[in-house]
Amino acid sequence: MVEQSEEEFLEEIYRETRNGSLSKEQVSEMADKHGIRLYQAENIWSFYGKEEKNLKICNGLPCKLSSGSSMNEFIGKYPENDREVVSCLGYCEHAPVAMAEGKYFHLSSDGASEIAVSPEEERKVTSLAEYVDAGGFETLRRTVDEDTTQNIRALAREFSLKGFGGSGFPTWVKWDAVADSRNGDKYLVVNAHEGEPGTFKDRVILENRPFELIEASLIAAHAVGASKIIIALKFEYRNAEKALKKALGASISYFGEKLSGRMLPKIKISRIPGYYITGEESALLEAMEGKRSEPRLRPPFPAEVGLHGKPTLIDNVETLVYFLGLLKEHYGDGKNSKRDKAYCLTGDVPRPGAYFLPYGTESKVLLTEKGGADMSKLKAVFPGGLSGGILPADRANVALDFDSVRKAGAGMGTGATIAISSGRCMVDVMENVSEFFERESCGKCMPCRLGTGEMSRLFSRLKSGDGTSGDIEAALKTADVMMKGSICGLGQAAARMFMDSIRYYGDEITQHASGICQANVCFPEVKR
């Protein structure tokens, strides 16, 4: 009873605080209404309680790199107290982006234009009939009719399926752990809560390929014995929610409650508020239970003690859809059995976008053939988003798979590539990156909470000419502590980004301590 009350309380307090500020007395009244202890209610309120502004301004790195005077003109139409700066709105390929009164806008030199979601020419499937005609749900029927659940999991192992949510963890290990658990009912949680600047692949899949996700989720749930599926959707992804609801309604009408005499798992779409950290799987579970979205200490792992204490398989949207593609190819099902990886490309490239390419495609193909970039004019590349580290452009032509990128000295993460041109100042770039990590830290552990703040202040001082070489040395020691002591990957990623920036661009960054900006961006005059 309490767990349901906490979920309802979270929904109400988030909704009410977005409409206006709440007093402590009102929070207390809402806590009584839902049977929540006051300290729990105030704890949740302090994390999620923030008044909704009519204008959300994206300050993620892709938008920062693309921002211009048009953004300032658009922002100026709204009073300062009705604006909110956010880390990512999820439409990075349209950078710079703002969200005004519930609608997304691309801000170009010609002014603001509303972003057309899932335009007709980009849609792979527009109806259930087209999906079924192309072989949709045949793989689901086959796995339910013919295969044991052990065979499905064995195929995941044979395919060496890894998670595309960022960690690259072997997915079949989680599947086996959940399947082997005897701890009552089981959940499948589909993690659709992406929030890292430059990462928007799941949103593209949700908006354009919702039937594939539904089929893939039902197969995964069958493989591990989960009776309930919850698609945990980023709260702001309203367009994705519409596409999912429409597809889910059509699918239920098509199947009913059973397939081949077996009861199908119930599928629920749940919009989850929260920040970048909410995409971390255990922090997502906390939010789904109506708590502060903070990472859990592990063990136990979600496969053992997950949502509401039950064994829970948590898989990323793309991971499931990619596995469906592997199965289709394996069985020869359907007219379209592609199993391409989604690579997001943003930054200093003429043609940003989400490109579906064979897993392991070389970054040069993505950057030049797809993105139209000139490698000789690039300074740096983030091969795996802000959490994946940096590579100098002359070392960035690597196969985009987990092993190859790691050997090159970075991480593939979600596969979000951000290109940085040779005319950029790395202090200016890193100021934005460090601000992101500071803003998105949940604050639970001291190394991350204090360390991300120190990194952000350091680059701010260096950019303004107030930083010293001693500050840089001190920050390196802090980064070492963050790597060893942070509970989750956010603190470790922030430390790694700082270390990479010093490793590859140390001279450029250190020169700022002497008032020299090689790119002539940070100071009005370059001192030689």
Side-chain angles (χ1 to χ4, degrees):
M1 187 68 179
V2 173
E3 73 180 32
Q4 184 60 34
S5 296
E6 287 177 345
E7 290 176 2
E8 291 174 348
F9 174 77
L10 174 55
E11 290 178 9
E12 183 174 359
I13 200 168
Y14 193 73
R15 182 177 64 251
E16 293 301 321
T17 51
R18 305 309 273 182
N19 294 329
S21 59
L22 290 175
S23 66
K24 287 191 175 182
E25 291 74 16
Q26 289 173 308
V27 174
S28 178
E29 291 173 3
M30 292 169 65
D32 290 339
K33 173 183 173 182
H34 293 282
I36 304 296
R37 293 178 180 177
L38 182 58
Y39 82 88
Q40 292 176 306
E42 291 184 343
N43 202 20
I44 296 170
W45 175 46
S46 68
F47 190 86
Y48 298 103
K50 186 167 61 174
E51 183 180 351
E52 177 88 340
K53 307 296 184 182
N54 278 318
L55 177 65
K56 291 185 177 182
I57 310 153
C58 184
N59 191 42
L61 184 58
C63 285
K64 162 77 173 178
L65 296 174
S66 303
S67 62
S69 59
S70 60
M71 176 170 278
N72 295 328
E73 293 173 7
F74 188 78
I75 292 171
K77 298 177 182 179
Y78 292 82
E80 191 170 341
N81 63 358
D82 201 19
R83 308 172 191 166
E84 177 185 2
V85 175
V86 298
S87 294
C88 186
L89 287 169
Y91 285 85
C92 316
E93 74 271 44
H94 298 285
V97 177
M99 185 178 184
E101 301 171 51
K103 297 179 180 180
Y104 296 92
F105 290 89
H106 164 62
L107 307 180
S108 69
S109 57
D110 297 326
S113 57
E114 186 174 352
I115 296 172
V117 179
S118 303
E120 198 71 31
E121 64 271 16
E122 292 182 6
R123 293 180 182 171
K124 292 181 172 59
V125 174
T126 56
S127 69
L128 173 67
E130 287 178 317
Y131 187 66
V132 172
D133 183 60
F137 295 119
E138 285 304 312
T139 304
L140 172 62
R141 290 183 188 278
R142 183 190 293 268
T143 57
V144 172
D145 288 346
E146 301 176 11
D147 285 321
T148 65
T149 56
Q150 290 89 343
N151 285 343
I152 302 172
R153 300 198 305 276
L155 285 172
R157 186 183 300 109
E158 180 183 327
F159 297 150
S160 298
L161 181 66
K162 294 182 179 180
F164 288 140
S167 67
F169 185 81
T171 300
W172 73 87
V173 175
K174 296 193 296 184
W175 287 28
D176 284 344
V178 175
D180 292 342
S181 176
R182 298 293 181 263
N183 186 18
D185 293 336
K186 301 171 185 177
Y187 289 97
L188 165 61
V189 172
V190 181
N191 190 343
H193 205 289
E194 59 189 355
E196 183 176 6
T199 299
F200 49 93
K201 61 186 180 62
D202 291 341
R203 190 214 86 225
V204 171
I205 293 172
L206 291 165
E207 290 180 356
N208 295 286
R209 300 161 66 180
F211 287 112
E212 290 181 51
L213 177 63
I214 291 169
E215 181 175 9
S217 299
L218 288 168
I219 291 172
H222 175 65
V224 302
S227 60
K228 299 175 183 176
I229 300 172
I230 302 175
I231 302 175
L233 188 64
K234 184 177 179 179
F235 193 86
E236 290 78 9
Y237 277 2
R238 299 171 184 175
N239 299 310
E241 181 188 23
K242 292 177 184 177
L244 269 175
K245 281 186 174 179
K246 183 178 180 181
L248 184 57
S251 300
I252 292 173
S253 298
Y254 179 68
F255 283 119
E257 295 184 344
K258 294 183 178 181
L259 177 63
S260 300
R262 295 175 181 264
M263 287 296 295
L264 289 171
K266 301 293 185 182
I267 301 179
K268 174 186 176 183
I269 300 170
S270 183
R271 289 173 66 199
I272 306 296
Y275 310 100
Y276 166 68
I277 192 61
T278 306
E280 195 276 336
E281 62 178 24
S282 66
L284 180 62
L285 295 181
E286 291 289 283
M288 295 174 71
E289 292 179 359
K291 303 171 185 175
R292 289 173 66 92
S293 182
E294 297 175 343
R296 296 176 178 177
L297 294 173
R298 289 171 286 187
F301 295 94
E304 305 163 292
V305 181
L307 187 63
H308 305 312
K310 302 297 183 180
T312 303
L313 171 64
I314 309 173
D315 265 329
N316 168 258
V317 168
E318 188 194 4
T319 305
L320 294 172
V321 171
Y322 186 79
F323 180 64
L324 175 62
L326 291 171
L327 286 178
K328 282 180 173 290
E329 187 177 78
H330 176 76
Y331 292 130
D333 288 341
K335 300 175 183 177
N336 299 308
S337 59
K338 294 182 179 179
R339 56 178 180 87
D340 289 341
K341 166 82 180 77
Y343 294 102
C344 297
L345 178 61
T346 57
D348 295 321
V349 294
R351 297 189 296 273
Y355 295 98
F356 290 81
L357 303 168
Y359 177 62
T361 294
E362 287 195 353
S363 57
K364 186 176 181 180
V365 173
L366 176 66
L367 286 160
T368 61
E369 294 183 18
K370 298 299 180 181
D374 182 344
M375 293 291 288
S376 67
K377 295 182 180 179
L378 295 182
K379 174 183 262 185
V381 173
F382 295 76
L386 304 190
S387 59
I390 317 170
L391 288 176
D394 58 5
R395 296 181 53 177
N397 186 26
V398 296
L400 292 173
D401 61 64
F402 289 105
D403 293 337
S404 298
V405 177
R406 184 180 65 253
K407 289 178 182 177
M412 193 180 79
T414 61
T417 296
I418 305 175
I420 308 298
S421 71
S422 55
R424 299 285 184 182
C425 168
M426 287 308 296
V427 167
D428 186 46
V429 170
M430 287 304 301
E431 181 189 40
N432 177 272
V433 173
S434 60
E435 284 177 351
F436 162 75
F437 284 117
E438 180 186 24
R439 185 186 303 119
E440 298 301 319
S441 172
C442 72
K444 182 174 183 177
C445 65
M446 187 177 295
C448 179
R449 182 175 69 249
L450 300 182
T452 54
E454 182 174 338
M455 303 296 176
S456 180
R457 289 188 293 274
L458 168 66
F459 283 108
S460 179
R461 290 197 301 271
L462 288 171
K463 186 175 176 179
S464 65
D466 296 327
T468 67
S469 57
D471 292 336
I472 298 173
E473 291 299 320
L476 282 169
K477 294 178 181 178
T478 299
D480 183 60
V481 174
M482 292 170 68
M483 289 291 292
K484 296 174 181 176
S486 296
I487 292 176
C488 79
L490 188 147
Q492 297 163 6
R496 177 179 183 169
M497 286 298 302
F498 176 70
M499 290 176 167
D500 280 357
S501 69
I502 298 300
R503 179 182 299 117
Y504 298 123
Y505 305 98
D507 289 344
E508 178 182 348
I509 292 171
T510 303
Q511 284 181 352
H512 279 70
S514 302
I516 299 173
C517 175
Q518 292 181 2
N520 198 20
V521 170
C522 300
F523 311 111
E525 295 181 1
V526 179
K527 301 176 183 178
R528 299 295 184 188

